[in-house]
Amino acid sequence: MKSKHPNSKDSPFASKEENLRTVTQHLDNILFPVLAGDDMVVCGSEQRKDTVVDFVDKINFLKPKSHPNHKVVLWSDNSESRPKGVIGVCHARNESAALNLPSTAILDANACLLKTVPYRGSLLAHLNTKRKFPSDAALIAFIAASLTNISSLVYLSRFLSPLHLESENISLDDERILVNMLTELDLIKYQGLKCALEKRRPIYAPTKSIQL
């Protein structure tokens, strides 16, 4: 789960590694918690720091956010208080293996493992196929283009409640994505809708460990 960037000088990202293109068949499960507004911890030992930073940086790049100056915590000590969002945390292999955080997806770079509630929906269904890309930049461009369709639904949802888009085959997971993106656009207007939708989530949804 590691590849070097062929043109690292031209890369806008913090790490020279290219890990995103090695997990293309799991992008739906990796991106779902991020797009739905959930927290994600990417953890690894000191030896895996570059891998952790690479994942956090690029996942945050794809994360919908209302402010471009959103602070990203690429790497932090596990003794520090954990902020919201997608963050990188230093954990030894035995610590990351035992890590269990409620309502938080965990990408364990030590074991190349993703612990999350599996995505069930159609908006990201095309992101669960193994594909080859020459670079992470090419993959990110592909993902960004794919998310354009979701942006179109978000635009439509501003005029028609996303909870009434049955014709678009919207699952609960897809509704959460749409409503979270709407909330990023207008917190005051859509926060109540997001809270109501979160109450419909299963309280004890089973978490699955996915080998990356």
Side-chain angles (χ1 to χ4, degrees), residues 3-210:
S3 175
K4 292 295 183 180
H5 195 290
N7 298 303
S8 57
K9 291 183 179 179
D10 301 324
S11 174
F13 299 107
S15 173
K16 296 179 182 179
E17 292 190 5
E18 293 213 331
N19 296 287
L20 208 57
R21 61 181 172 143
T22 67
V23 295
T24 54
Q25 70 272 36
H26 302 298
L27 287 174
D28 57 339
N29 284 309
I30 291 174
L31 292 178
F32 166 61
V34 177
L35 296 175
D38 293 340
D39 294 334
M40 173 181 279
V41 168
V42 183
C43 57
S45 63
E46 284 285 351
Q47 291 77 15
R48 303 292 286 171
K49 180 178 179 179
D50 285 347
T51 300
V52 170
V53 168
D54 185 52
F55 270 120
V56 174
D57 197 15
K58 290 167 182 173
I59 292 173
N60 267 294
F61 182 81
L62 294 165
K63 181 180 185 292
K65 41 192 174 290
S66 54
H67 302 291
N69 60 346
H70 172 74
K71 184 179 179 181
V72 177
V73 180
L74 296 175
W75 182 256
S76 63
D77 188 273
N78 61 17
S79 62
E80 299 176 20
S81 59
R82 182 167 58 88
K84 294 287 187 179
V86 183
I87 64 168
V89 182
C90 179
H91 278 294
R93 179 176 289 271
N94 63 321
E95 295 173 340
S96 63
L99 198 60
N100 183 19
L101 302 171
S103 303
T104 301
I106 300 171
L107 199 164
D108 183 355
N110 291 322
C112 300
L113 203 67
L114 175 67
K115 304 173 188 176
T116 188
V117 177
Y119 167 71
R120 293 180 175 85
S122 59
L123 294 181
L124 306 179
H126 60 291
L127 296 177
N128 64 359
T129 302
K130 189 174 182 62
R131 295 182 174 92
K132 291 185 178 180
F133 290 87
S135 65
D136 273 10
L139 172 56
I140 288 171
F142 170 79
I143 296 172
S146 300
L147 295 181
T148 300
N149 292 330
I150 299 179
S151 298
S152 298
L153 275 177
V154 171
Y155 179 78
L156 177 62
S157 298
R158 297 183 69 181
F159 305 98
L160 178 65
S161 170
L163 303 183
H164 294 87
L165 288 176
E166 292 87 353
S167 61
E168 296 292 344
N169 191 29
I170 300 297
S171 66
L172 176 61
D173 287 353
D174 288 340
E175 287 179 18
R176 292 189 61 225
I177 291 174
L178 292 175
V179 171
N180 179 62
M181 294 178 76
L182 283 168
T183 305
E184 288 292 334
L185 289 174
D186 192 330
L187 176 64
I188 296 176
K189 183 176 181 179
Y190 295 107
Q191 182 62 32
L193 180 61
K194 183 174 182 178
C195 291
L197 190 59
E198 291 302 304
K199 292 179 181 179
R200 292 172 50 197
R201 293 178 63 185
I203 299 177
Y204 300 108
T207 298
K208 182 179 180 181
S209 294
I210 302 170

